[in-house]
């Protein structure tokens, strides 16, 4: 990957890119409130499950499928239908809309409104960015955002939070490599407690995150 491509990818998936990722906890807020996640070890276990068996894996497949097709309409429809709750759908739609809008305005390219992983895959193909590295950095950004949410919610020290991100980096690479060999036929999700958390968060009494 050329340096300019690498820097484009880093900019897109940086916390400073205006998609509002900091406002979403992916159900983690409920998990902390319910004392399912209480420290570094339980946070790492929760996030690894989401990566391997939940949205980490499925979003990688959606990103990969969007990258490999000329018409992303069907991939985007699958991504919307696969959301397990109203909050998860809102999370991927609103972040995708924000990513599409920012990328369109900054790079002057035609970016239709899409769910977040589909939008990233579509934009990466337009820019000729390597698919494998795009997925790796996408997953790393996803898990970094949730680790940052965990630091605020548990609360957890910054060093412990960064240890969690470091420990899960190899998992991001593993999930991306598996998605390269897969397709939408391989879609599945068995991170059931994470899905339930997103549903219960909808009616949680006190919330600081949108999901």
């Amino acid at each position: 990957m050329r340096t300019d491509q690498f820097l484009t990818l880093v900019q897109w998936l940086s916390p400073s890119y205006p998609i509002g990722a900091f406002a979403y906890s992916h159900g983690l807020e409920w998990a902390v409130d319910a004392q399912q996640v209480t420290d570094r070890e339980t946070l790492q276990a929760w996030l690894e499950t989401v990566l391997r068996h939940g949205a980490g894996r499925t979003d990688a497949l959606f990103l990969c499928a969007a990258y490999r097709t000329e018409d992303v309409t069907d991939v985007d429809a699958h991504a919307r239908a696969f959301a397990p709750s109203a909050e998860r759908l809102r999370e991927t739609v609103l972040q995708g809309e924000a990513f599409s809008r920012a990328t369109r305005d900054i790079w002057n390219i035609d970016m239709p409104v899409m769910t977040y992983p589909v939008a990233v895959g579509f934009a990466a193909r337009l820019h000729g960015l390597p698919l494998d590295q795009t997925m790796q950095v996408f997953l790393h950004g996803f898990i970094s955002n949730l680790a940052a949410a965990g630091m605020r919610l548990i609360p957890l020290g910054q060093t412990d939070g960064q240890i969690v991100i470091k420990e899960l980096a190899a998992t991001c690479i593993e999930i991306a490599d598996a998605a390269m060999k897969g397709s939408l036929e391989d879609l599945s999700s068995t991170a059931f407690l994470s899905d339930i958390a997103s549903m219960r968060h909808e009616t949680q009494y006190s919330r600081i995150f949108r999901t």
Side-chain angles (χ1 to χ4, degrees):
M1 181 162 48
R2 301 192 313 268
T3 302
D4 62 321
Q5 292 178 312
F6 171 73
L7 292 177
T8 295
L9 187 58
V10 169
Q11 182 175 354
W12 285 354
L13 300 170
S14 161
S16 68
Y17 207 63
I19 66 168
F22 63 88
Y24 302 93
S25 81
H26 205 74
L28 182 61
E29 185 169 18
W30 176 86
V32 173
D33 186 65
Q35 298 189 323
Q36 298 289 328
V37 176
T38 58
D39 54 20
R40 189 180 83 194
E41 289 73 22
T42 51
L43 176 64
Q44 182 173 327
W46 180 277
L47 297 186
E48 184 169 5
T49 299
V50 172
L51 269 177
R52 291 188 180 278
H53 307 292
R57 180 177 180 275
T58 57
D59 279 2
L61 289 169
F62 288 131
L63 192 160
C64 191
Y67 187 98
R68 289 171 168 166
T69 184
E70 294 289 332
D71 182 8
V72 296
T73 305
D74 185 61
V75 180
D76 188 61
H78 272 79
R80 292 170 187 266
F82 209 75
S85 68
E87 283 205 347
R88 287 286 181 80
L89 178 60
R90 188 180 306 119
E91 181 177 303
T92 190
V93 167
L94 292 180
Q95 289 190 76
E97 289 177 352
F99 180 88
S100 296
R101 182 169 57 252
T103 307
R104 181 190 64 228
D105 293 345
I106 297 167
W107 272 270
N108 296 312
I109 59 174
D110 184 18
M111 283 286 296
V113 172
M114 296 169 279
T115 51
Y116 185 41
V118 176
V120 173
F122 178 85
R125 182 175 64 83
L126 288 183
H127 279 74
L129 305 183
L131 175 57
D132 56 345
Q133 290 171 309
T134 298
M135 285 196 292
Q136 291 164 7
V137 180
F138 175 87
L139 292 171
H140 192 269
F142 171 65
I143 221 65
S144 296
N145 179 67
L146 294 187
M151 292 180 218
R152 285 179 275 171
L153 289 165
I154 293 171
L156 195 67
Q158 291 185 342
T159 298
D160 279 340
Q162 291 299 321
I163 289 173
V164 169
I165 295 170
K166 189 266 290 186
E167 292 296 323
L168 293 175
T171 306
C172 294
I173 297 172
E174 180 185 337
I175 299 301
D177 288 347
M180 288 284 290
K181 305 181 183 89
S183 71
L184 295 185
E185 296 295 321
D186 300 303
L187 282 171
S188 66
S189 180
T190 53
F192 300 122
L193 187 54
S194 174
D195 295 341
I196 292 169
S198 72
M199 298 171 193
R200 292 188 172 175
H201 185 265
E202 294 175 13
T203 57
Q204 190 169 321
Y205 174 72
S206 176
R207 307 188 307 175
I208 62 173
F209 289 90
R210 300 183 72 174
T211 65

PDB file of all heavy atoms in Angstrom, residues 27-41:
ATOM      1  N   GLY A  27     -24.104  -1.689  22.871  1.00  0.00           N
ATOM      2  CA  GLY A  27     -24.679  -2.490  23.951  1.00  0.00           C
ATOM      3  C   GLY A  27     -23.795  -2.621  25.174  1.00  0.00           C
ATOM      4  O   GLY A  27     -24.232  -3.149  26.212  1.00  0.00           O
ATOM      5  N   LEU A  28     -22.553  -2.140  25.078  1.00  0.00           N
ATOM      6  CA  LEU A  28     -21.621  -2.291  26.196  1.00  0.00           C
ATOM      7  C   LEU A  28     -22.105  -1.530  27.432  1.00  0.00           C
ATOM      8  O   LEU A  28     -21.873  -1.973  28.563  1.00  0.00           O
ATOM      9  CB  LEU A  28     -20.228  -1.805  25.780  1.00  0.00           C
ATOM     10  CG  LEU A  28     -19.116  -1.930  26.803  1.00  0.00           C
ATOM     11  CD1 LEU A  28     -18.891  -3.383  27.198  1.00  0.00           C
ATOM     12  CD2 LEU A  28     -17.820  -1.325  26.264  1.00  0.00           C
ATOM     13  N   GLU A  29     -22.798  -0.405  27.227  1.00  0.00           N
ATOM     14  CA  GLU A  29     -23.272   0.367  28.372  1.00  0.00           C
ATOM     15  C   GLU A  29     -24.207  -0.462  29.246  1.00  0.00           C
ATOM     16  O   GLU A  29     -24.129  -0.421  30.477  1.00  0.00           O
ATOM     17  CB  GLU A  29     -23.966   1.640  27.905  1.00  0.00           C
ATOM     18  CG  GLU A  29     -24.381   2.547  29.045  1.00  0.00           C
ATOM     19  CD  GLU A  29     -24.837   3.922  28.590  1.00  0.00           C
ATOM     20  OE1 GLU A  29     -25.168   4.097  27.398  1.00  0.00           O
ATOM     21  OE2 GLU A  29     -24.858   4.830  29.443  1.00  0.00           O
ATOM     22  N   TRP A  30     -25.093  -1.232  28.612  1.00  0.00           N
ATOM     23  CA  TRP A  30     -25.969  -2.099  29.403  1.00  0.00           C
ATOM     24  C   TRP A  30     -25.166  -3.191  30.099  1.00  0.00           C
ATOM     25  O   TRP A  30     -25.426  -3.527  31.263  1.00  0.00           O
ATOM     26  CB  TRP A  30     -27.042  -2.745  28.520  1.00  0.00           C
ATOM     27  CG  TRP A  30     -27.892  -3.701  29.311  1.00  0.00           C
ATOM     28  CD1 TRP A  30     -29.008  -3.409  30.048  1.00  0.00           C
ATOM     29  CD2 TRP A  30     -27.655  -5.105  29.500  1.00  0.00           C
ATOM     30  NE1 TRP A  30     -29.488  -4.534  30.670  1.00  0.00           N
ATOM     31  CE2 TRP A  30     -28.670  -5.595  30.357  1.00  0.00           C
ATOM     32  CE3 TRP A  30     -26.694  -5.995  29.022  1.00  0.00           C
ATOM     33  CZ2 TRP A  30     -28.742  -6.927  30.733  1.00  0.00           C
ATOM     34  CZ3 TRP A  30     -26.755  -7.323  29.418  1.00  0.00           C
ATOM     35  CH2 TRP A  30     -27.780  -7.773  30.264  1.00  0.00           C
ATOM     36  N   ALA A  31     -24.183  -3.754  29.386  1.00  0.00           N
ATOM     37  CA  ALA A  31     -23.388  -4.838  29.966  1.00  0.00           C
ATOM     38  C   ALA A  31     -22.642  -4.381  31.208  1.00  0.00           C
ATOM     39  O   ALA A  31     -22.520  -5.133  32.191  1.00  0.00           O
ATOM     40  CB  ALA A  31     -22.394  -5.365  28.924  1.00  0.00           C
ATOM     41  N   VAL A  32     -22.152  -3.150  31.204  1.00  0.00           N
ATOM     42  CA  VAL A  32     -21.477  -2.613  32.385  1.00  0.00           C
ATOM     43  C   VAL A  32     -22.491  -2.364  33.491  1.00  0.00           C
ATOM     44  O   VAL A  32     -22.250  -2.710  34.659  1.00  0.00           O
ATOM     45  CB  VAL A  32     -20.712  -1.324  32.027  1.00  0.00           C
ATOM     46  CG1 VAL A  32     -20.156  -0.662  33.295  1.00  0.00           C
ATOM     47  CG2 VAL A  32     -19.578  -1.627  31.050  1.00  0.00           C
ATOM     48  N   ASP A  33     -23.634  -1.808  33.144  1.00  0.00           N
ATOM     49  CA  ASP A  33     -24.670  -1.529  34.135  1.00  0.00           C
ATOM     50  C   ASP A  33     -25.168  -2.816  34.794  1.00  0.00           C
ATOM     51  O   ASP A  33     -25.481  -2.842  35.987  1.00  0.00           O
ATOM     52  CB  ASP A  33     -25.832  -0.789  33.475  1.00  0.00           C
ATOM     53  CG  ASP A  33     -26.884  -0.327  34.475  1.00  0.00           C
ATOM     54  OD1 ASP A  33     -26.558   0.530  35.314  1.00  0.00           O
ATOM     55  OD2 ASP A  33     -28.017  -0.833  34.410  1.00  0.00           O
ATOM     56  N   ALA A  34     -25.224  -3.892  34.001  1.00  0.00           N
ATOM     57  CA  ALA A  34     -25.683  -5.187  34.509  1.00  0.00           C
ATOM     58  C   ALA A  34     -24.563  -6.001  35.148  1.00  0.00           C
ATOM     59  O   ALA A  34     -24.764  -7.147  35.527  1.00  0.00           O
ATOM     60  CB  ALA A  34     -26.318  -5.989  33.378  1.00  0.00           C
ATOM     61  N   GLN A  35     -23.370  -5.400  35.240  1.00  0.00           N
ATOM     62  CA  GLN A  35     -22.185  -6.028  35.833  1.00  0.00           C
ATOM     63  C   GLN A  35     -21.759  -7.291  35.093  1.00  0.00           C
ATOM     64  O   GLN A  35     -21.177  -8.197  35.684  1.00  0.00           O
ATOM     65  CB  GLN A  35     -22.413  -6.306  37.323  1.00  0.00           C
ATOM     66  CG  GLN A  35     -22.643  -5.037  38.142  1.00  0.00           C
ATOM     67  CD  GLN A  35     -22.651  -5.282  39.634  1.00  0.00           C
ATOM     68  OE1 GLN A  35     -23.139  -6.305  40.107  1.00  0.00           O
ATOM     69  NE2 GLN A  35     -22.103  -4.347  40.389  1.00  0.00           N
ATOM     70  N   GLN A  36     -22.047  -7.332  33.804  1.00  0.00           N
ATOM     71  CA  GLN A  36     -21.507  -8.383  32.953  1.00  0.00           C
ATOM     72  C   GLN A  36     -20.054  -8.074  32.581  1.00  0.00           C
ATOM     73  O   GLN A  36     -19.261  -8.972  32.332  1.00  0.00           O
ATOM     74  CB  GLN A  36     -22.348  -8.509  31.671  1.00  0.00           C
ATOM     75  CG  GLN A  36     -23.794  -8.893  31.904  1.00  0.00           C
ATOM     76  CD  GLN A  36     -23.935 -10.333  32.354  1.00  0.00           C
ATOM     77  OE1 GLN A  36     -23.165 -11.196  31.973  1.00  0.00           O
ATOM     78  NE2 GLN A  36     -24.934 -10.581  33.196  1.00  0.00           N
ATOM     79  N   VAL A  37     -19.732  -6.782  32.515  1.00  0.00           N
ATOM     80  CA  VAL A  37     -18.370  -6.326  32.220  1.00  0.00           C
ATOM     81  C   VAL A  37     -17.956  -5.409  33.358  1.00  0.00           C
ATOM     82  O   VAL A  37     -18.589  -4.378  33.598  1.00  0.00           O
ATOM     83  CB  VAL A  37     -18.318  -5.580  30.874  1.00  0.00           C
ATOM     84  CG1 VAL A  37     -16.914  -5.019  30.620  1.00  0.00           C
ATOM     85  CG2 VAL A  37     -18.732  -6.499  29.732  1.00  0.00           C
ATOM     86  N   THR A  38     -16.880  -5.790  34.060  1.00  0.00           N
ATOM     87  CA  THR A  38     -16.501  -5.068  35.280  1.00  0.00           C
ATOM     88  C   THR A  38     -15.023  -4.687  35.348  1.00  0.00           C
ATOM     89  O   THR A  38     -14.645  -3.882  36.205  1.00  0.00           O
ATOM     90  CB  THR A  38     -16.832  -5.915  36.514  1.00  0.00           C
ATOM     91  OG1 THR A  38     -16.137  -7.181  36.417  1.00  0.00           O
ATOM     92  CG2 THR A  38     -18.327  -6.176  36.618  1.00  0.00           C
ATOM     93  N   ASP A  39     -14.181  -5.283  34.497  1.00  0.00           N
ATOM     94  CA  ASP A  39     -12.746  -5.016  34.578  1.00  0.00           C
ATOM     95  C   ASP A  39     -12.104  -5.303  33.218  1.00  0.00           C
ATOM     96  O   ASP A  39     -12.797  -5.571  32.237  1.00  0.00           O
ATOM     97  CB  ASP A  39     -12.095  -5.863  35.678  1.00  0.00           C
ATOM     98  CG  ASP A  39     -12.392  -7.363  35.529  1.00  0.00           C
ATOM     99  OD1 ASP A  39     -12.762  -7.800  34.415  1.00  0.00           O
ATOM    100  OD2 ASP A  39     -12.276  -8.101  36.528  1.00  0.00           O
ATOM    101  N   ARG A  40     -10.767  -5.233  33.194  1.00  0.00           N
ATOM    102  CA  ARG A  40     -10.061  -5.420  31.923  1.00  0.00           C
ATOM    103  C   ARG A  40     -10.316  -6.803  31.335  1.00  0.00           C
ATOM    104  O   ARG A  40     -10.533  -6.935  30.130  1.00  0.00           O
ATOM    105  CB  ARG A  40      -8.550  -5.234  32.134  1.00  0.00           C
ATOM    106  CG  ARG A  40      -7.759  -5.194  30.829  1.00  0.00           C
ATOM    107  CD  ARG A  40      -6.286  -5.020  31.108  1.00  0.00           C
ATOM    108  NE  ARG A  40      -5.633  -6.279  31.422  1.00  0.00           N
ATOM    109  CZ  ARG A  40      -4.418  -6.390  31.952  1.00  0.00           C
ATOM    110  NH1 ARG A  40      -3.737  -5.302  32.271  1.00  0.00           N
ATOM    111  NH2 ARG A  40      -3.887  -7.575  32.181  1.00  0.00           N
ATOM    112  N   GLU A  41     -10.301  -7.827  32.150  1.00  0.00           N
ATOM    113  CA  GLU A  41     -10.453  -9.187  31.642  1.00  0.00           C
ATOM    114  C   GLU A  41     -11.842  -9.412  31.040  1.00  0.00           C
ATOM    115  O   GLU A  41     -11.969  -9.994  29.951  1.00  0.00           O
ATOM    116  CB  GLU A  41     -10.194 -10.200  32.763  1.00  0.00           C
ATOM    117  CG  GLU A  41      -8.742 -10.311  33.199  1.00  0.00           C
ATOM    118  CD  GLU A  41      -8.245  -9.124  34.001  1.00  0.00           C
ATOM    119  OE1 GLU A  41      -9.098  -8.402  34.582  1.00  0.00           O
ATOM    120  OE2 GLU A  41      -7.026  -8.895  34.053  1.00  0.00           O
TER     121      GLU A  41
END
